[in-house]
Amino acid sequence: MLALGCPTAFCVQGAVGSVLARNGRAESTLVVAAEATAAEHNAARELSAYLEAITGARFVVVTNPARPPSRAIFVGRSRWAERLFPSVPWEGLGPDSYVHQTRGGHLLLAGGRPRGTLYAVYRFLAEHGGVRWWTPWAMHVPRRPTLHVPPLDVEVRPVFEYREPFWFCAFDPRWKVRNGVNGAHPPIPPEWGDCIRYKGFAHTFYALVPPSEHFARHPEWFSWIDGRRTHERAQLCLSNPELRAFVAERVRAWLRESPEARIVSVTQNDWHGNCQCPNCRALDEAEGSPAGSLLDFVNEIAARIEPEFPHVWVDTFAYQYTRRPPRRLRPRSNVVIRLCSIEANFREPLDHPSNAAFLEDLQGWSRRAPRLYVWDYTTDFANYLLPHPNWFTLGPNVRLFQRHGVRGVFEQGAYQDWGAEMAELRAWVLAQLLWNPQQDDRRLIREFLEGYYGAAAGPIGQYLELLHRASAGFELRCFTRPNAPHRRARVLIEAERLWAEAEMRVRDDPERQPRVRLAHLPVRYAFLLDWERLRREARDEGLAWPLSESKAEAAREFATWAAGRPDLPWTRVQLLRESGLTVDQFLAPMLP
C-alpha cells in the first residue's frame, strides 16, 4: 500500500508484527548486505545504536548470513530481503522512497538509492520508537525496554521531491537526513544519502556571462534600457542568438565541472532591468509577461544541453517581474520553474485574498509547468530577531503547494547566524511538513514546544497566540514594515511577562534554560529597537514598564544574553539583518 509521505504505517489484515526487544534484551538481529552502499551500512549502524538507546539491548549487525536469523531486521536490499519480502517493488523505489514490512517475525526497512534506506530507518525510529531530532544539539530518545512493532506493509514516498528549510540551525547534514531534508545547503555527504545538488543556485546571469569579461566586446548581450546597452543593475538580452549559444556552452562547461549536479540554475539577477530591445519586447508583449523572453531563452538552453546531460534539469525563476506566467509558452520537460513569493503577506496563508495575485500566478504556472518548485520566505530579512508571526501559515502554505502540484519547496529563513526568532521551531516544523504536508501543523508546533522547551512550553505557546492575534489585519512582509500592531507596547509588555514566566519555569533545568533564554531575546530586541516610542505608549496607557528604566542597562543585558555560552555555540547571536548589521553595531549608540 502506497502512502505519499504519510507517517502512519498501514496495518494489513492477517499480517504478523515483530518483537524487537523484550525487557531490555534484543529479540532480533540486524542484517545488511556486505555489498550495500555506505549510506545503507550507516543506516544499519544508526538503527542499532538508537534501538540500544531506546531499549537498553544490544543489537548485533551481521552481513550476508548463510541463513537468515529466526528473527531479523533487514536493512536495505539483500538476497534474503528479496526472498523473504517478494512483494517489494525493488526496481521501482525512488531515491527517497522506502518500505516498512513485517513478515514471519521479520521486519524490513529498505528504500531506493541513495537515501531511501536511511529514511526507512529514521522514519521507523520516529514513528515506532518515538525518537525526535529537534535540532542538531537536541533530540528525544524515549526508554522502552520492550519494543513491539505492529504488522506493517507500507510503501512511502515524500510529497515533494526537493525539500529544504533554509535556516542556519538546519544546516547540519545529519539533522537534515534524520528529518527528511534533501537540499544541498550545505551538501549531505554520499555516505549519509547525498542530496539534490545544484550548479549555481540563484541569480546566475552574471556568473554565466560576467560583464567584466564580455560587456566591452559584446554589449549586445546585455540589456537595452533607455536607448543604450548597459550592464548596471541590468539583465541579459535574452533574444540574442549568439548569447544563447554562448550561455548553452557555459552551462555545459559548468556541468562538466560538477557531474554531481542534478539541477543547473539559469536565473535572472536580483533586480529588475530586463532588456527592452525590439526582439525581447516582442516576445514579452506576445506572451503578456517578461517571463516570455526568459522562458523562450531557458527552453533553448535546456534543449541544447539535453543530449549531453539528459539527467539534468535547467532551473529558472518566476520572480518579481517574471512572476506572471506567459500566455502560450510552456516550459520544456527538463525545465524547473521556481516561483517566488517575495511580495506576499505572510501573516495570512498564500490563498488569502490579500495574496490573490500570487495565488493567480501559482495556479497559472501549475497548469503550465511540468516541474514547478516554490521559493518561499519565512523570516524578516531586515530584522532576523524581530517577532515575525507567520508560524500558523506554514502548514496551510505547504498544503497549498501540494494541491497545486508543486514538486519542490525551498523555505528561505535566517540563513546567516544562530538565534533568529523561533528559528529552531520553524526549521523542525517545516522539515516535517515538507515530508508530509497533511500533518496537523498546530500539533507539530505544540509537540516541538513541549519537546524542546519542556516546562516553558505553555507560556511560549501563549506568546505565539498573543502575537498572532495582535497582528490580525497587518500585511506582514519579509522585510520589516513600520507600525506593526504586534509591536505595540501593550502587546510587547504582555509578551515580556510570558517570557519571564517561561524562564522561571526552566530556571533549574540546565538543558532547557539556554534554549528559552535564546528564544526570549527577540522580544528584548523589539523593546530596544523602538525604546522611546514604547516608553511613551506605556506611559500614555498607564502600563507598568517591565524592563530597566535605563536603556543603556537594558542594552548591556541584551549584549550579555546575545554573547551566549562558550560551550553552546548556538546560543551566540551576532548578526541581526541579512544586510549585515551586527549586535555590536546595533548596541553601540545605546552604550556609554
Side-chain angles (χ1 to χ4, degrees):
M1 185 175 294
L2 178 65
L4 296 181
C6 177
T8 303
F10 291 83
C11 294
V12 179
Q13 190 69 30
V16 178
S18 181
V19 177
L20 305 188
R22 195 186 308 275
N23 298 324
R25 295 187 59 186
E27 298 269 321
S28 295
T29 300
L30 276 60
V31 177
V32 63
E35 65 275 14
T37 66
E40 290 162 349
H41 280 290
N42 275 331
R45 284 189 282 269
E46 286 279 271
L47 181 63
S48 174
Y50 276 103
L51 288 179
E52 181 173 351
I54 293 167
T55 66
R58 181 171 178 269
F59 284 79
V60 175
V61 180
V62 299
T63 56
N64 290 4
R67 295 179 59 82
S70 58
R71 289 185 177 274
I73 305 172
F74 296 93
V75 181
R77 190 173 184 175
S78 65
R79 64 188 181 100
W80 288 118
E82 290 177 353
R83 290 189 191 184
L84 294 170
F85 297 90
S87 66
V88 174
W90 294 102
E91 303 302 330
L93 293 174
D96 293 0
S97 300
Y98 69 80
V99 293
H100 288 170
Q101 281 193 22
T102 52
R103 190 167 186 269
H106 297 308
L107 170 63
L108 174 68
L109 306 177
R113 290 177 175 170
R115 292 174 289 279
T117 295
L118 278 161
Y119 288 160
V121 164
Y122 289 130
R123 291 287 150 177
F124 175 81
L125 289 168
E127 294 159 20
H128 301 284
V131 180
R132 297 290 184 271
W133 297 275
W134 307 120
T135 67
W137 56 86
M139 68 177 70
H140 172 65
V141 182
R143 292 303 303 270
R144 298 177 183 173
T146 296
L147 186 59
H148 175 265
V149 179
L152 301 177
D153 186 3
V154 62
E155 179 185 344
V156 174
R157 69 170 180 264
V159 167
F160 302 110
E161 67 188 14
Y162 169 75
R163 308 170 299 280
E164 184 146 24
F166 189 60
W167 283 81
F168 193 79
C169 61
F171 284 177
D172 178 76
R174 300 284 287 277
W175 181 91
K176 289 166 67 171
V177 70
R178 288 164 175 165
N179 284 286
V181 174
N182 66 355
H185 296 90
I188 301 170
E191 64 269 24
W192 290 102
D194 214 333
C195 48
I196 294 180
R197 296 176 185 251
Y198 271 79
K199 179 62 176 179
F201 188 70
H203 311 306
T204 60
F205 273 5
Y206 283 2
L208 289 163
V209 190
S212 60
E213 298 176 23
H214 299 287
F215 184 76
R217 293 182 58 194
H218 293 287
E220 72 278 9
W221 287 1
F222 297 85
S223 289
W224 175 272
I225 300 173
D226 295 332
R228 66 185 182 94
R229 294 287 178 179
T230 181
H231 63 84
E232 295 176 1
R233 296 190 68 80
Q235 307 288 343
L236 300 175
C237 180
L238 300 175
S239 61
N240 185 290
E242 292 181 354
L243 173 72
R244 291 185 176 200
F246 177 81
V247 170
E249 187 52 43
R250 283 282 287 149
V251 169
R252 290 190 195 98
W254 270 15
L255 293 172
R256 291 168 191 147
E257 293 169 2
S258 303
E260 74 283 355
R262 186 70 178 83
I263 306 177
V264 62
S265 173
V266 181
T267 44
Q268 69 206 56
N269 296 325
D270 197 10
W271 45 72
H272 288 251
N274 53 305
C275 184
Q276 301 296 312
C277 78
N279 290 336
C280 287
R281 187 182 301 164
L283 282 168
D284 294 341
E285 290 177 352
E287 294 295 340
S289 167
S293 56
L294 176 63
L295 184 55
D296 191 72
F297 172 81
V298 170
N299 274 347
E300 182 169 337
I301 303 305
R304 285 173 177 259
I305 72 158
E306 188 173 34
E308 184 175 352
F309 301 100
H311 62 289
V312 173
W313 304 322
V314 180
D315 168 278
T316 199
F317 283 156
Y319 174 60
Q320 294 184 336
Y321 69 91
T322 61
R323 204 184 75 183
R324 181 182 296 278
R327 291 192 183 108
R328 293 179 294 274
L329 269 175
R330 298 293 185 269
R332 295 184 87 251
S333 61
N334 64 333
V335 168
V336 174
I337 297 297
R338 204 158 20 142
L339 174 64
C340 306
S341 64
I342 195 167
E343 300 90 352
N345 170 18
F346 296 102
R347 166 54 175 75
E348 305 294 347
L350 290 169
D351 56 359
H352 184 267
S354 63
N355 290 316
F358 175 82
L359 180 61
E360 182 181 357
D361 292 340
L362 173 63
Q363 292 168 335
W365 282 113
S366 177
R367 292 190 295 268
R368 293 165 171 80
R371 181 163 265 106
L372 176 61
Y373 284 13
V374 166
W375 181 315
D376 194 24
Y377 302 81
T378 59
T379 192
D380 179 350
F381 295 99
N383 280 289
Y384 284 147
L385 258 68
L386 268 187
H388 189 68
N390 68 336
W391 317 289
F392 302 140
T393 68
L394 302 178
N397 287 346
V398 176
R399 287 188 285 276
L400 177 72
F401 302 152
Q402 180 187 16
R403 288 198 302 274
H404 286 86
V406 171
R407 299 179 66 173
V409 183
F410 177 79
E411 298 281 10
Q412 187 178 10
Y415 61 95
Q416 296 165 294
D417 193 16
W418 309 111
E421 189 258 350
M422 300 308 290
E424 299 83 2
L425 170 89
R426 287 192 187 86
W428 185 83
V429 169
L430 284 168
Q432 312 318 307
L433 290 169
L434 292 177
W435 185 272
N436 173 21
Q438 295 307 314
Q439 296 177 85
D440 181 340
D441 50 292
R442 294 285 190 126
R443 182 193 61 77
L444 289 171
I445 289 171
R446 289 193 301 272
E447 182 181 2
F448 182 89
L449 294 180
E450 292 167 3
Y452 187 68
Y453 296 113
I460 298 175
Q462 293 174 51
Y463 160 78
L464 300 183
E465 296 287 355
L466 169 69
L467 266 70
H468 177 70
R469 291 192 304 272
S471 61
F474 179 71
E475 290 200 358
L476 185 72
R477 305 296 184 179
C478 60
F479 286 88
T480 302
R481 296 176 66 238
N483 303 319
H486 56 279
R487 288 166 51 200
R488 310 307 295 184
R490 183 174 296 276
V491 177
L492 290 177
I493 288 170
E494 174 62 11
E496 175 63 22
R497 184 192 69 77
L498 290 169
W499 279 107
E501 180 183 347
E503 291 227 36
M504 183 273 295
R505 291 191 180 193
V506 295
R507 66 186 184 280
D508 297 322
D509 185 339
E511 183 177 291
R512 292 186 171 88
Q513 190 276 335
R515 303 175 191 173
V516 175
R517 171 61 55 86
L518 182 68
H520 185 173
L521 202 56
V523 168
R524 292 297 185 91
Y525 176 67
F527 274 103
L528 289 173
L529 193 65
D530 293 317
W531 185 272
E532 287 75 17
R533 175 181 62 79
L534 293 170
R535 288 298 305 270
R536 185 171 59 253
E537 287 181 10
R539 184 177 60 251
D540 292 347
E541 297 180 37
L543 303 173
W545 187 250
L547 306 183
S548 168
E549 295 292 320
S550 165
K551 185 177 182 181
E553 185 176 333
R556 281 191 291 271
E557 185 175 36
F558 183 91
T560 300
W561 288 14
R565 283 175 40 180
D567 58 324
L568 301 175
W570 51 268
T571 62
R572 185 182 183 195
V573 181
Q574 300 178 81
L575 193 67
L576 299 175
R577 297 177 185 170
E578 187 182 37
S579 59
L581 181 71
T582 67
V583 169
D584 289 345
Q585 290 168 337
F586 171 66
L587 296 178
M590 308 176 200
L591 298 173

